[in-house]
Amino acid sequence: QVHVVESGGGSEQSGGSLRLSCVHPIDTYTQMYCMGWFRQAPGKEREGIAAIDKVRSTTYADSVKGRFTISQDIPTNTLYLQMNSLKPEDTAMYYCTMWNARVCTIQALGVVPYWGQGTQVTVSS
């Protein structure tokens, strides 16, 4: 089991900002090519919202495009998700993970090999 440390979640009002962080073990970071953030709201299926590859190409779900930014800091094996203009519908448990694929997209639920414990984001109106 890969030990992933996610942090940065919390409660915020609508329109506010949060930044999530995720640190991967160095061996996992060097073996995997794709990185991303997924979320799962109560009663809903888990969905991919942002993905990035080792050359920093990114892709986003329409629901977060223009508001969320995914980035990585290679020296520290850290993945970030800057979330601006938060909405109540962003309330969910957020997970980061890494996987291998020829093209890194957010439609990766079937190939993700592991999940972290997640970090809760709650947005109030």
Side-chain angles (χ1 to χ4, degrees):
Q1 182 68 24
V2 176
H3 181 60
V4 178
V5 180
E6 295 143 323
S7 62
S11 297
E12 186 58 72
Q13 291 189 331
S14 183
S17 298
L18 286 171
R19 189 174 82 153
L20 306 184
S21 300
C22 169
V23 180
H24 279 83
I26 181 63
D27 56 346
T28 303
Y29 197 83
T30 55
Q31 291 170 12
M32 301 293 186
Y33 183 69
C34 305
M35 295 155 278
W37 289 93
F38 294 71
R39 69 185 182 187
Q40 187 166 16
K44 294 188 176 181
E45 294 186 352
R46 192 168 298 187
E47 61 172 348
I49 57 170
I52 187 170
D53 63 24
K54 289 289 181 68
V55 295
R56 295 186 167 89
S57 295
T58 58
T59 183
Y60 297 92
D62 288 343
S63 58
V64 305
K65 198 173 295 182
R67 300 187 299 120
F68 290 9
T69 302
I70 188 172
S71 62
Q72 58 176 309
D73 182 59
I74 295 176
T76 61
N77 318 325
T78 303
L79 184 68
Y80 297 101
L81 185 69
Q82 177 66 43
M83 305 187 296
N84 298 329
S85 302
L86 284 164
K87 303 176 181 180
E89 50 263 45
D90 294 321
T91 295
M93 186 71 81
Y94 283 71
Y95 302 89
C96 83
T97 187
M98 298 186 71
W99 67 95
N100 279 319
R102 188 173 62 85
V103 179
C104 301
T105 74
I106 57 173
Q107 285 83 31
L109 280 176
V111 298
V112 167
Y114 64 89
W115 298 102
Q117 82 286 354
T119 185
Q120 177 68 38
V121 171
T122 303
V123 184
S124 58
S125 57

